[in-house]
Amino acid sequence: MNPVETVILREPWEVQPRLQELTLSLNKLLEIRDIAVLEGANVTAFHAANAEGTFRYHHGTWALRDRFVGGDWMVNRSNGVETIRNEVLKLAIGFCNVDLACVDRYDPQPRTKKGNGAARAASPGLFEHLPKYVPGIPREWQFFYLMVDDKGAAELSRPVLEAGRFIAMIERLYLAHGSDDGSTIRVLDVPDTGQDFDPQIVRK
């Protein structure tokens, strides 16, 4: 494919207008990030090895829908890809655990390999190959992931996939750089063992 020139929006004065165009709230996106990270922190030694990422993905996807579905936003599972979609804006958004977010010189990579459905959705010409029960979806659809790494860094980005990996980024919106960014949710009174701990959620 032809090289992709990535648009990176780093500063709040750049990010906020773009989020408004996408009818997305920064505060809600960061709440989704917080929920996913906290749910991952509930993993104990008795859970499966992949439990942390699984918890983050399932609760991140739930929170994405809980915060946004309604009005023009609806639940979407086309082609086996769990997203929300906006028919008016021709926009779809999913949740993704990544290895590293918000670093200019590095494109985030998914923690688990993405399937063919995600590759089709995230490639230019979104939904071009969707099954016939989703008719008439034009090529100008855009697909974003809310990408969250282990530190809590988060970006809303539009990737291109190939062989289960992100091979390019069309657009990246930096939302937060991690645990030192004034998160709206924090864990209190963590015991030394941490295994039997139920986190308390506190809003600022």
Side-chain angles (χ1 to χ4, degrees):
M1 63 176 291
N2 294 328
V4 174
E5 183 176 351
T6 305
V7 174
I8 301 179
L9 304 181
R10 305 173 186 84
E11 302 299 331
W13 59 267
E14 298 175 300
V15 172
Q16 286 283 13
R18 180 59 172 142
L19 290 178
Q20 290 176 0
E21 291 177 358
L22 302 173
T23 68
L24 298 171
S25 159
L26 175 60
N27 288 339
K28 289 182 178 180
L29 291 170
L30 293 181
E31 286 177 6
I32 296 162
R33 181 276 310 265
D34 291 341
I35 290 168
V37 170
L38 276 182
E39 290 296 339
N42 284 333
V43 170
T44 73
F46 288 169
H47 282 92
N50 65 345
E52 181 175 359
T54 300
F55 285 9
R56 287 186 181 190
Y57 171 74
H58 285 294
H59 288 277
T61 299
W62 169 83
L64 181 66
R65 290 167 173 168
D66 180 72
R67 294 307 191 267
F68 287 110
V69 167
D72 293 329
W73 288 101
M74 64 186 70
V75 172
N76 182 47
R77 296 188 171 99
S78 299
N79 228 32
V81 184
E82 297 284 348
T83 68
I84 59 174
R85 64 185 282 173
N86 186 315
E87 296 278 354
V88 175
L89 296 178
K90 299 182 176 61
L91 178 66
I93 301 172
F95 180 90
C96 183
N97 294 309
V98 296
D99 57 352
L100 186 64
C102 300
V103 175
D104 286 0
R105 66 184 182 277
Y106 182 79
D107 287 344
Q109 290 300 321
R111 300 294 299 222
T112 57
K113 184 177 180 180
K114 295 297 180 184
N116 292 333
R120 287 191 290 269
S123 296
L126 169 65
F127 297 130
E128 181 181 8
H129 304 291
L130 281 184
K132 60 184 179 182
Y133 58 80
V134 188
I137 300 179
R139 293 178 60 88
E140 64 265 25
W141 273 72
Q142 299 178 80
F143 183 96
F144 286 82
Y145 273 120
L146 174 57
M147 302 180 181
V148 178
D149 73 13
D150 291 343
K151 305 186 311 296
E155 60 182 83
L156 183 73
S157 295
R158 186 181 174 197
V160 178
L161 272 81
E162 185 175 285
R165 292 176 53 82
F166 300 150
I167 61 168
M169 293 287 167
I170 299 170
E171 185 176 2
R172 301 176 70 183
L173 285 70
Y174 291 0
L175 307 179
H177 286 276
S179 57
D180 59 347
D181 63 5
S183 169
T184 58
I185 296 178
R186 57 189 187 275
V187 178
L188 302 181
D189 301 326
V190 181
D192 291 338
T193 61
Q195 290 195 1
D196 297 322
F197 171 61
D198 292 324
Q200 300 176 34
I201 296 178
V202 179
R203 301 282 177 186
K204 287 185 178 179

